[in-house]
Amino acid sequence: MNYEQSIDYIHSIPKFCRPLGNANLEKLLTHLDNPQKKLKFIHIAGTNGKGSTAAMTAEILKKSGFKTGLFTSPYLEVFNERIRINGENITDNDLAEYVTRVKAIMEENNALVSEFAFITAVSFLYFYEKQCDIVVLEVGMGGKLDATNVIDSSLVSVICKIGLDHTQYLGDTIEEIAKEKCGIMRNGGTAVSYPNNDVRDIIEKYAKSKNVSLTFADTALPTENGFIYKSKEYPLSLKGTYQPQNAAVVLEITSALNKQGFNISDEDISYGLSHTSWAARFEFVSDRVVIDGGHNIDGIKALKKSLLSLNRDIVLVIAMMEDKDYKACIREISPVAKAVFATQLDMPRCLSSEKISDIIGSMNIPVFVNNNPKDAFQNALDFSDNSIVCVCGSLYLAGEIKKFFS
């Protein structure tokens, strides 16, 4: 298959396969000679902050001289973003080659897996054959039953900020979701967690049951260009009032690695924190356009706090998926804006722009409807004068608008 055929094939694979669980993925990986068993992982779960935490960790490890794989989801502009080594996307040719190889093995051995599990297998084989020293592995959804949890062990299991999302799969309460995400911890292993005060006792209890050495990140204090953690000041390139606390988790990850014999210097840490880029996380793509992919209530609250910290007039461009808690999210973020442009994406599960308009209209905030995301964005720019235009509500919308600035 060529690149385009490979992408089409990936998207043709069912999102879920019966039977549920990782039995078929384990079978597939066995026939690939279990590349995951020959790799070292930092395994990252959580509701919010996984991507930023993974990106900062990978950048520090790269600066420390480790050949570092990074597996994340979803992508914004090109699929290749999901599989990177030392900051470079997998090439079109390599992606086509590895998809073709894994497809053949999967079909020959009747080890049919879901789309995400297939991509996970592709990434494991690629990272192994490219001789990565460490792989920073982001969970797709949940933890315990996630395809990435097929790995036997990790250097560090990481629990980022836990909140309500994917409740149709993970549970209706934050406690249920926390238990699911704790499932990435391994017996006798090492774990680092975001403060997660609401479910701290659940995380502690789970860690104790698995004899896991657990560290919670302390509070990070934001500064103008970074943050202070445990009386030491660090630079930080990622914007957003929530990023210093994510960076504190990263500092505890590096500390845990150093205790295991790694040699990650303070200079490498500072360099990595000041040179990390992570798209669509309160990302200023111009002096008055910020793109944020937050799509659950905790992510939206964090975005709201960051926008208010700018002390500028705000115009919002919003699209959301219908399977999210869209009413709560829209009602939370809209009051920061002097106007909202509601739009939608050509996707089956996307909320209609009219529904967004109906919710905002009842709040006496000016709202304009345009079903074309690019037109809605351009209209917001024309309307906004010197205001900040914030594109939010969906990583898919973020990807569409980011193409303007690539």
Side-chain angles (χ1 to χ4, degrees):
M1 292 186 291
N2 62 27
Y3 174 74
E4 289 75 18
Q5 290 168 331
S6 298
I7 294 297
D8 288 343
Y9 174 74
I10 288 169
H11 293 320
S12 74
I13 303 172
K15 298 289 185 185
F16 299 96
C17 283
R18 300 287 180 181
L20 296 177
N22 285 333
N24 272 7
L25 177 56
E26 290 172 353
K27 180 180 177 181
L28 172 60
L29 289 169
T30 297
H31 288 288
L32 292 170
D33 200 24
N34 284 315
Q36 81 283 3
K37 294 182 181 292
K38 306 161 192 172
L39 291 165
K40 296 178 180 178
F41 295 99
I42 297 167
H43 200 188
I44 301 180
T47 308
N48 292 301
K50 296 193 301 295
S52 299
T53 300
M56 286 186 273
T57 302
E59 190 68 28
I60 291 168
L61 290 170
K62 181 182 77 170
K63 182 64 173 65
S64 296
F66 299 101
K67 189 171 187 178
T68 306
L70 177 62
F71 179 71
T72 59
S73 59
Y75 65 93
L76 288 181
E77 297 180 76
V78 293
F79 185 91
N80 312 49
E81 297 167 21
R82 298 183 63 176
I83 303 172
R84 306 181 189 185
I85 296 177
N86 283 355
E88 297 294 325
N89 294 350
I90 186 173
T91 66
D92 290 357
N93 287 340
D94 276 345
L95 184 62
E97 176 197 335
Y98 280 85
V99 168
T100 301
R101 288 171 58 191
V102 174
K103 173 180 182 290
I105 296 295
M106 181 176 76
E107 293 176 350
E108 286 170 12
N109 295 281
N110 193 30
L112 303 180
V113 297
S114 68
E115 178 183 336
F116 183 77
F118 180 85
I119 300 161
T120 302
V122 166
S123 72
F124 286 160
L125 186 62
Y126 175 72
F127 291 141
Y128 168 65
E129 293 190 348
K130 296 300 181 181
Q131 299 180 312
C132 286
D133 299 312
I134 302 177
V135 173
V136 181
L137 183 67
E138 182 190 344
V139 167
M141 181 175 68
K144 180 181 178 181
L145 300 178
D146 189 73
T148 63
N149 208 33
V150 74
I151 64 174
D152 294 331
S153 63
S154 60
L155 297 169
V156 188
S157 300
V158 184
I159 309 295
C160 294
K161 191 174 191 299
I162 295 175
L164 291 173
D165 199 8
H166 301 296
T167 53
Q168 66 271 47
Y169 305 112
L170 304 180
D172 294 329
T173 68
I174 193 171
E175 291 80 11
E176 289 176 297
I177 292 171
K179 290 175 184 176
E180 184 69 21
K181 294 182 187 299
C182 283
I184 69 167
M185 294 187 199
R186 290 293 183 268
N187 283 322
T190 299
V192 167
S193 175
Y194 188 93
N196 281 315
N197 293 324
D198 291 345
V199 288
R200 186 178 180 120
D201 58 334
I202 291 174
I203 299 171
E204 287 178 330
K205 184 178 179 180
Y206 191 97
K208 186 175 182 180
S209 73
K210 297 290 184 180
N211 193 30
V212 168
S213 174
L214 171 66
T215 301
F216 285 94
D218 289 340
T219 300
L221 303 175
T223 62
E224 185 175 354
N225 295 306
F227 64 103
I228 295 171
Y229 188 68
K230 294 183 176 178
S231 301
K232 183 175 174 60
E233 189 164 358
Y234 296 89
L236 188 59
S237 57
L238 297 184
K239 305 305 178 186
T241 57
Y242 49 89
Q243 292 294 8
Q245 197 60 60
N246 290 333
V249 174
V250 173
L251 291 178
E252 294 297 348
I253 294 170
T254 59
S255 175
L257 290 173
N258 281 339
K259 289 175 183 175
Q260 295 178 45
F262 290 79
N263 185 24
I264 303 168
S265 69
D266 288 344
E267 291 76 16
D268 293 337
I269 291 169
S270 291
Y271 180 93
L273 291 176
S274 64
H275 286 77
T276 301
S277 60
W278 195 237
R281 277 70 175 181
F282 204 69
E283 179 189 12
F284 275 87
V285 292
S286 76
D287 59 351
R288 66 186 189 95
V289 177
V290 62
I291 295 178
D292 191 276
H295 50 268
N296 55 51
I297 191 62
D298 281 353
I300 290 295
K301 285 180 177 179
L303 171 61
K304 180 179 180 180
K305 185 177 179 182
S306 295
L307 288 172
L308 291 173
S309 74
L310 300 175
N311 292 314
R312 296 274 299 276
D313 284 341
I314 306 294
V315 173
L316 297 176
V317 181
I318 299 179
M320 288 204 73
M321 297 297 112
E322 206 159 23
D323 56 358
K324 302 298 179 183
D325 189 6
Y326 61 84
K327 289 182 181 178
C329 290
I330 292 167
R331 287 170 179 156
E332 181 71 29
I333 195 67
S334 296
V336 307
K338 70 175 186 179
V340 178
F341 287 77
T343 190
Q344 63 190 58
L345 297 143
D346 186 17
M347 299 174 66
R349 65 189 184 96
C350 189
L351 184 69
S352 73
S353 53
E354 286 77 14
K355 285 186 179 179
I356 296 174
S357 177
D358 289 344
I359 295 167
I360 296 169
S362 66
M363 302 170 69
N364 294 317
I365 298 167
V367 57
F368 305 91
V369 173
N370 191 313
N371 292 345
N372 184 301
K374 293 181 178 179
D375 290 346
F377 174 65
Q378 187 59 57
N379 291 343
L381 282 178
D382 295 340
F383 174 90
S384 64
D385 194 17
N386 288 319
S387 304
I388 295 289
V389 175
C390 176
V391 178
C392 63
S394 165
L395 279 166
Y396 301 106
L397 176 64
E400 281 293 308
I401 302 307
K402 192 167 169 58
K403 291 174 184 176
F404 273 107
F405 300 91
S406 299

mmCIF file of all heavy atoms in Angstrom, residues 239-256:
data_model
loop_
_atom_site.group_PDB
_atom_site.id
_atom_site.type_symbol
_atom_site.label_atom_id
_atom_site.label_comp_id
_atom_site.label_asym_id
_atom_site.label_seq_id
_atom_site.Cartn_x
_atom_site.Cartn_y
_atom_site.Cartn_z
ATOM 1 N N LYS A 239 1.975 27.708 27.026
ATOM 2 C CA LYS A 239 1.143 28.730 27.653
ATOM 3 C C LYS A 239 -0.108 28.092 28.265
ATOM 4 O O LYS A 239 -0.430 26.941 28.016
ATOM 5 C CB LYS A 239 0.757 29.796 26.631
ATOM 6 C CG LYS A 239 1.951 30.429 25.933
ATOM 7 C CD LYS A 239 2.945 31.012 26.929
ATOM 8 C CE LYS A 239 4.163 31.596 26.226
ATOM 9 N NZ LYS A 239 5.196 32.044 27.197
ATOM 10 N N GLY A 240 -0.827 28.879 29.029
ATOM 11 C CA GLY A 240 -2.009 28.365 29.714
ATOM 12 C C GLY A 240 -1.730 28.262 31.194
ATOM 13 O O GLY A 240 -0.666 27.770 31.597
ATOM 14 N N THR A 241 -2.665 28.718 31.996
ATOM 15 C CA THR A 241 -2.449 28.736 33.445
ATOM 16 C C THR A 241 -2.337 27.336 34.042
ATOM 17 O O THR A 241 -1.857 27.168 35.160
ATOM 18 C CB THR A 241 -3.595 29.481 34.149
ATOM 19 O OG1 THR A 241 -4.844 28.863 33.802
ATOM 20 C CG2 THR A 241 -3.641 30.955 33.726
ATOM 21 N N TYR A 242 -2.762 26.326 33.289
ATOM 22 C CA TYR A 242 -2.734 24.949 33.782
ATOM 23 C C TYR A 242 -1.407 24.244 33.507
ATOM 24 O O TYR A 242 -1.143 23.185 34.076
ATOM 25 C CB TYR A 242 -3.870 24.135 33.147
ATOM 26 C CG TYR A 242 -3.954 24.261 31.643
ATOM 27 C CD1 TYR A 242 -3.247 23.406 30.810
ATOM 28 C CD2 TYR A 242 -4.739 25.248 31.049
ATOM 29 C CE1 TYR A 242 -3.306 23.524 29.435
ATOM 30 C CE2 TYR A 242 -4.816 25.384 29.680
ATOM 31 C CZ TYR A 242 -4.097 24.511 28.875
ATOM 32 O OH TYR A 242 -4.163 24.653 27.504
ATOM 33 N N GLN A 243 -0.554 24.814 32.648
ATOM 34 C CA GLN A 243 0.657 24.099 32.249
ATOM 35 C C GLN A 243 1.724 23.986 33.345
ATOM 36 O O GLN A 243 2.424 22.964 33.400
ATOM 37 C CB GLN A 243 1.259 24.730 30.988
ATOM 38 C CG GLN A 243 0.414 24.558 29.726
ATOM 39 C CD GLN A 243 0.284 23.120 29.264
ATOM 40 O OE1 GLN A 243 0.702 22.173 29.940
ATOM 41 N NE2 GLN A 243 -0.322 22.921 28.094
ATOM 42 N N PRO A 244 1.904 24.967 34.230
ATOM 43 C CA PRO A 244 2.890 24.764 35.296
ATOM 44 C C PRO A 244 2.641 23.515 36.129
ATOM 45 O O PRO A 244 3.588 22.816 36.509
ATOM 46 C CB PRO A 244 2.759 26.044 36.137
ATOM 47 C CG PRO A 244 2.362 27.088 35.145
ATOM 48 C CD PRO A 244 1.408 26.372 34.220
ATOM 49 N N GLN A 245 1.364 23.188 36.403
ATOM 50 C CA GLN A 245 1.088 21.997 37.202
ATOM 51 C C GLN A 245 1.376 20.724 36.414
ATOM 52 O O GLN A 245 1.840 19.729 36.975
ATOM 53 C CB GLN A 245 -0.357 22.013 37.698
ATOM 54 C CG GLN A 245 -0.612 21.045 38.840
ATOM 55 C CD GLN A 245 0.261 21.342 40.063
ATOM 56 O OE1 GLN A 245 0.201 22.415 40.636
ATOM 57 N NE2 GLN A 245 1.101 20.377 40.453
ATOM 58 N N ASN A 246 1.122 20.749 35.107
ATOM 59 C CA ASN A 246 1.521 19.609 34.276
ATOM 60 C C ASN A 246 3.041 19.457 34.284
ATOM 61 O O ASN A 246 3.570 18.341 34.344
ATOM 62 C CB ASN A 246 1.035 19.794 32.834
ATOM 63 C CG ASN A 246 -0.469 19.669 32.692
ATOM 64 O OD1 ASN A 246 -1.117 18.983 33.477
ATOM 65 N ND2 ASN A 246 -1.030 20.318 31.689
ATOM 66 N N ALA A 247 3.740 20.594 34.230
ATOM 67 C CA ALA A 247 5.208 20.554 34.239
ATOM 68 C C ALA A 247 5.747 20.020 35.564
ATOM 69 O O ALA A 247 6.793 19.353 35.594
ATOM 70 C CB ALA A 247 5.769 21.950 33.966
ATOM 71 N N ALA A 248 5.031 20.273 36.654
ATOM 72 C CA ALA A 248 5.446 19.718 37.949
ATOM 73 C C ALA A 248 5.399 18.195 37.916
ATOM 74 O O ALA A 248 6.260 17.512 38.483
ATOM 75 C CB ALA A 248 4.541 20.250 39.057
ATOM 76 N N VAL A 249 4.400 17.645 37.247
ATOM 77 C CA VAL A 249 4.329 16.191 37.074
ATOM 78 C C VAL A 249 5.549 15.702 36.290
ATOM 79 O O VAL A 249 6.166 14.686 36.631
ATOM 80 C CB VAL A 249 3.021 15.795 36.351
ATOM 81 C CG1 VAL A 249 3.008 14.299 36.025
ATOM 82 C CG2 VAL A 249 1.806 16.162 37.201
ATOM 83 N N VAL A 250 5.915 16.443 35.259
ATOM 84 C CA VAL A 250 7.082 16.082 34.449
ATOM 85 C C VAL A 250 8.347 16.078 35.302
ATOM 86 O O VAL A 250 9.201 15.180 35.180
ATOM 87 C CB VAL A 250 7.225 17.047 33.255
ATOM 88 C CG1 VAL A 250 8.526 16.782 32.495
ATOM 89 C CG2 VAL A 250 6.030 16.916 32.318
ATOM 90 N N LEU A 251 8.494 17.059 36.191
ATOM 91 C CA LEU A 251 9.665 17.093 37.069
ATOM 92 C C LEU A 251 9.722 15.865 37.964
ATOM 93 O O LEU A 251 10.811 15.315 38.222
ATOM 94 C CB LEU A 251 9.641 18.365 37.920
ATOM 95 C CG LEU A 251 9.863 19.677 37.164
ATOM 96 C CD1 LEU A 251 9.765 20.858 38.123
ATOM 97 C CD2 LEU A 251 11.211 19.693 36.459
ATOM 98 N N GLU A 252 8.568 15.408 38.426
ATOM 99 C CA GLU A 252 8.559 14.195 39.252
ATOM 100 C C GLU A 252 8.860 12.949 38.414
ATOM 101 O O GLU A 252 9.451 11.983 38.916
ATOM 102 C CB GLU A 252 7.217 14.060 39.974
ATOM 103 C CG GLU A 252 6.949 15.150 41.010
ATOM 104 C CD GLU A 252 7.944 15.162 42.165
ATOM 105 O OE1 GLU A 252 8.731 14.200 42.310
ATOM 106 O OE2 GLU A 252 7.943 16.155 42.931
ATOM 107 N N ILE A 253 8.480 12.970 37.137
ATOM 108 C CA ILE A 253 8.836 11.856 36.249
ATOM 109 C C ILE A 253 10.353 11.787 36.089
ATOM 110 O O ILE A 253 10.962 10.713 36.206
ATOM 111 C CB ILE A 253 8.166 12.022 34.867
ATOM 112 C CG1 ILE A 253 6.643 11.912 34.982
ATOM 113 C CG2 ILE A 253 8.695 10.964 33.885
ATOM 114 C CD1 ILE A 253 5.899 12.295 33.707
ATOM 115 N N THR A 254 10.982 12.926 35.834
ATOM 116 C CA THR A 254 12.443 12.930 35.661
ATOM 117 C C THR A 254 13.146 12.538 36.949
ATOM 118 O O THR A 254 14.162 11.832 36.917
ATOM 119 C CB THR A 254 12.940 14.301 35.181
ATOM 120 O OG1 THR A 254 12.586 15.314 36.132
ATOM 121 C CG2 THR A 254 12.343 14.662 33.833
ATOM 122 N N SER A 255 12.601 12.949 38.085
ATOM 123 C CA SER A 255 13.178 12.556 39.373
ATOM 124 C C SER A 255 13.108 11.049 39.554
ATOM 125 O O SER A 255 14.069 10.406 39.990
ATOM 126 C CB SER A 255 12.440 13.262 40.514
ATOM 127 O OG SER A 255 12.906 12.816 41.771
ATOM 128 N N ALA A 256 11.951 10.462 39.189
ATOM 129 C CA ALA A 256 11.786 9.007 39.303
ATOM 130 C C ALA A 256 12.762 8.278 38.377
ATOM 131 O O ALA A 256 13.315 7.232 38.746
ATOM 132 C CB ALA A 256 10.346 8.626 38.961
#
